Amino acid sequence: MSSIEKIRETLKFCRMFASLSDNDLAPLCSLARLQTQERGTLLFSEGEAAEGFYVVAAGRVKIYKLSADGKERILHIVNSGDTFAEAAIFGDGRYPAFAETLSPAELVFLPGREFLDLLHNRSGIAINMIAGLSQFLRQFTHQIEELTFKDVPARLAGYLLKLKVDPDGSSQLPVSKSQLASNLGTVSETLSRSLRKLADEELIRVEGKRIEILDRELLEDMAQKTI
């Protein structure tokens, strides 16, 4: 598959651009650039001038912030078909967080200035982008609610219920346990205790990064519990 074909396929199946016609996709494909990045590549830093935004064609990217003492707090994990950093090309034009690849990745980069020029001429693209940003805002609001009103076991239960189930009935954690702890707003020790708690109550079975849900109904009940 050529680069332009990969770009078109990625944009076509991205939620932000899914409803665009071929005529609207064509100018997007023309200005987009396909990037191949190794695992652990820092794509941008917090406060850096935003040159554009990305769509993940393959792989995973973590978006995170660093505290004053250097502790990492993962805001979210971006998977294939999702966009990130699009809000940075508006407002003050600076990236509000760090972005780093969690695996080898193929990324479609859309340069900010050219993209904004395109929005002025193609209102349909602008409307789709607003819809995509609104969906992201709802997801982010939900994350804040989870951190505010649920304890770590409840947040962990909700996360495990959303994992992709393999043919053998188990699921593979897509990130390390330390990264998962950060994503859930806790520390590794607390995450380990929460995993043991769920395992001791026979809700899940844990073997390394492999998780098997033993009692989905009770796990769903735990995921709904508030503080």
Side-chain angles (χ1 to χ4, degrees):
M1 183 183 296
S2 68
S3 294
I4 190 65
E5 290 172 334
K6 184 68 174 181
I7 289 171
R8 175 177 288 277
E9 180 182 277
T10 300
L11 295 183
K12 186 174 182 180
F13 290 99
C14 171
R15 284 177 304 198
M16 182 175 291
F17 306 121
S19 61
L20 293 184
S21 66
D22 288 341
N23 287 337
D24 282 332
L25 275 175
L28 279 174
C29 293
S30 296
L31 63 89
R33 301 196 295 268
L34 186 65
Q35 300 179 354
T36 301
Q37 304 288 1
E38 296 180 353
R39 178 185 178 188
T41 300
L42 181 65
L43 301 172
F44 54 77
S45 300
E46 182 177 0
E48 183 180 317
E51 296 182 355
F53 69 100
Y54 298 81
V55 185
V56 179
R60 301 191 311 277
V61 176
K62 66 176 178 179
I63 309 300
Y64 64 97
K65 281 182 171 285
L66 294 177
S67 65
D69 59 357
K71 275 192 174 182
E72 183 180 290
R73 168 72 176 96
I74 295 178
L75 301 178
H76 56 283
I77 305 296
V78 189
N79 296 296
S80 179
D82 291 334
T83 60
F84 64 99
E86 61 270 32
I89 65 174
F90 300 100
D92 65 358
R94 297 192 175 276
Y95 292 119
F98 296 82
E100 182 181 320
T101 54
L102 284 172
S103 65
E106 283 189 303
L107 308 171
V108 174
F109 177 76
L110 290 154
R113 184 178 299 276
E114 291 91 334
F115 184 80
L116 291 176
D117 288 342
L118 185 60
L119 293 186
H120 286 299
N121 299 315
R122 297 291 188 97
S123 60
I125 297 175
I127 291 170
N128 269 276
M129 186 170 185
I130 291 170
L133 289 172
S134 298
Q135 184 176 17
F136 172 76
L137 182 59
R138 287 195 295 271
Q139 292 173 345
F140 196 69
T141 301
H142 175 72
Q143 183 180 19
I144 297 298
E145 291 175 347
E146 292 268 304
L147 291 172
T148 303
F149 298 113
K150 294 185 178 181
D151 60 15
V152 175
R155 300 202 296 271
L156 175 59
Y159 178 88
L160 296 178
L161 288 166
K162 295 176 184 176
L163 290 177
K164 176 184 176 181
V165 179
D166 293 334
D168 65 359
S170 66
S171 300
Q172 176 82 12
L173 290 177
V175 296
S176 68
K177 289 181 181 178
S178 62
Q179 290 169 337
L180 175 57
S182 177
N183 196 31
L184 294 176
T186 187
V187 295
S188 297
E189 293 77 7
T190 303
L191 174 65
S192 295
R193 287 196 297 271
S194 298
L195 283 168
R196 283 198 299 271
K197 171 182 170 63
L198 298 183
D200 290 345
E201 294 179 5
E202 298 186 342
L203 301 183
I204 63 172
R205 179 181 293 116
V206 183
E207 294 181 5
K209 293 179 69 175
R210 181 67 59 178
I211 306 290
E212 181 182 356
I213 295 177
L214 302 178
D215 194 323
R216 180 168 291 271
E217 185 175 345
L218 287 181
L219 197 64
E220 288 173 347
D221 288 343
M222 175 167 284
Q224 296 303 315
K225 289 182 179 179
T226 56
I227 299 174

